[in-house]
Amino acid sequence: MAANATAVPQAYQAYTSAAVPDWLNKGDNAWQMTSATLVGLQSVPGLIILYGSIVKKKWAVNSAFMALYAFAAVVICWVIWAYKMSFGEKLLPFWGKAGPALGQKFLIKQAALPATVHHFHNGTVETAMATPYYPMASMVWFQCVFAAITVILLAGSLLGRMNIKAWMMFVPLWLTFSYTVGAFSLWGGGFLFHWGVIDYSGGYVIHLSSGIAGITAAYWVGPRSKADRERFPPNNVLLMLAVRAAVDGVAGFNGGDPYSANIDSSMAVLNTNICAATSLLVWTWLDVIFFDKPSVIGAVQGMITGLVCITPGAAK
């Protein structure tokens, strides 16, 4: 009876089914899929709601659809060619070889990145490969929602400016020729990765790249009409507050980047919420000091600013 009392329950033992190889950690895998789902929800419906409610009523549907289309387009482009351009075998110091990430053998094997391992002249490994305890399918999806939200963040600079047909062509082109370059260079084993540049959760690859691309795209597309620039009331302020879900999304964003459910992920989730709350309060008080009253839009902007600022160092 004593032996039975101390035995590990069958549900917690390894090899409980053919779908549980010896390297699979169910907790890490569950957390990684949860994190990816939270980031996905940050885009759909999170940013769809934000974009549809923060612009004028006449642009609401177009703005929301820009975000929805971008998410769907990135998912398809990602698994057909863009994942391996970002995390596959080296083609150039800043680019991986394009290829599909759809094969069963590829998706069910243990996750490993970067695919290209660099060695010193004496043959020793320069930077070790990360081998989390879950399948490539979880890694491909986790990195996919990062790529998708980067393009959707970029869309925020073009709301009310860009024709939807032009946007439909822009999304796969920018993903292919811009996002994959930054992702491979910093995360996928490119030259910046081996120079020791650290981007914990997208400070460079996501926020900096989408911000610079947004400014550049807005410049070339051109300004809105004079009447629209003089008066730009939001379509639905109350609905815009649903962007509060972005905090939970970025918690998955930052909490999933240690690639396991560990102490770093706990610190990242806590720090993300602290920074978002602090930035929201500071922005609100600055509105009171300089404009004599708080602003809902200012509070949301402050929260988002805090989320962006904490991303590169959330686990510290």
Side-chain angles (χ1 to χ4, degrees):
M1 292 181 63
N4 291 334
T6 58
V8 178
Q10 183 178 357
Y12 295 92
Q13 296 177 17
Y15 310 109
T16 53
S17 74
V20 184
D22 59 351
W23 48 260
L24 179 68
N25 183 296
K26 294 180 180 180
D28 285 351
N29 194 35
W31 172 240
Q32 207 64 29
M33 290 189 291
T34 300
S35 297
T37 301
L38 290 172
V39 179
L41 289 173
Q42 187 183 359
S43 297
V44 181
L47 288 175
I48 289 177
I49 295 173
L50 174 64
Y51 288 171
S53 57
I54 203 170
V55 298
K56 286 186 174 183
K57 187 175 182 179
K58 66 178 181 178
W59 295 327
V61 174
N62 180 275
S63 299
F65 185 57
M66 284 177 68
L68 179 62
Y69 170 82
F71 189 88
V74 168
V75 170
I76 300 303
C77 296
W78 190 251
V79 296
I80 294 176
W81 71 80
Y83 174 80
K84 289 195 174 178
M85 292 183 72
S86 303
F87 297 98
E89 294 293 335
K90 177 182 174 182
L91 175 65
L92 297 171
F94 53 86
W95 235 355
K97 296 178 183 177
L102 288 169
Q104 184 181 23
K105 290 183 179 180
F106 174 77
L107 292 175
I108 67 173
K109 70 179 182 179
Q110 184 176 1
L113 61 90
T116 301
V117 178
H118 286 233
H119 297 83
F120 289 111
H121 292 298
N122 62 5
T124 58
V125 176
E126 181 178 356
T127 307
M129 178 186 294
T131 53
Y133 298 113
Y134 46 77
M136 284 298 306
S138 297
M139 180 61 75
V140 170
W141 176 237
F142 181 71
Q143 297 295 348
C144 178
V145 291
F146 271 56
I149 199 171
T150 307
V151 183
I152 296 173
L153 289 172
L154 192 166
S157 300
L158 301 168
L159 302 180
R161 297 172 184 256
M162 195 171 193
N163 181 282
I164 188 65
K165 292 180 181 178
W167 176 247
M168 290 170 68
M169 294 184 289
F170 177 86
V171 169
L173 290 172
W174 190 84
L175 174 73
T176 302
F177 294 102
S178 184
Y179 182 83
T180 58
V181 172
F184 184 81
S185 298
L186 274 156
W187 289 339
F191 73 105
L192 293 176
F193 179 92
H194 291 283
W195 283 0
V197 178
I198 297 175
D199 181 7
Y200 171 72
S201 189
Y204 295 100
V205 177
I206 295 172
H207 293 142
L208 188 62
S209 67
S210 62
I212 293 175
I215 292 172
T216 305
Y219 172 81
W220 287 106
V221 170
R224 300 179 182 93
S225 67
K226 183 177 180 181
D228 287 328
R229 280 180 284 150
E230 290 175 350
R231 179 166 171 73
F232 200 112
N235 177 43
N236 192 321
V237 175
L238 287 177
L239 193 60
M240 186 185 67
L241 289 176
V243 79
R244 166 59 180 80
V247 175
D248 301 316
V250 179
F253 202 95
N254 294 336
D257 258 312
Y259 294 155
S260 69
N262 57 20
I263 295 174
D264 283 348
S265 59
S266 299
M267 290 292 295
V269 171
L270 177 61
N271 289 338
T272 297
N273 283 274
I274 291 173
C275 192
T278 301
S279 186
L280 185 152
L281 295 177
V282 169
W283 198 298
T284 300
W285 275 106
L286 289 175
D287 275 337
V288 172
I289 292 170
F290 289 99
F291 303 106
D292 296 326
K293 61 179 180 180
S295 165
V296 174
I297 295 177
V300 172
Q301 289 175 326
M303 181 190 70
I304 294 173
T305 301
L307 295 175
V308 172
C309 291
I310 192 58
T311 295
K316 295 180 179 180

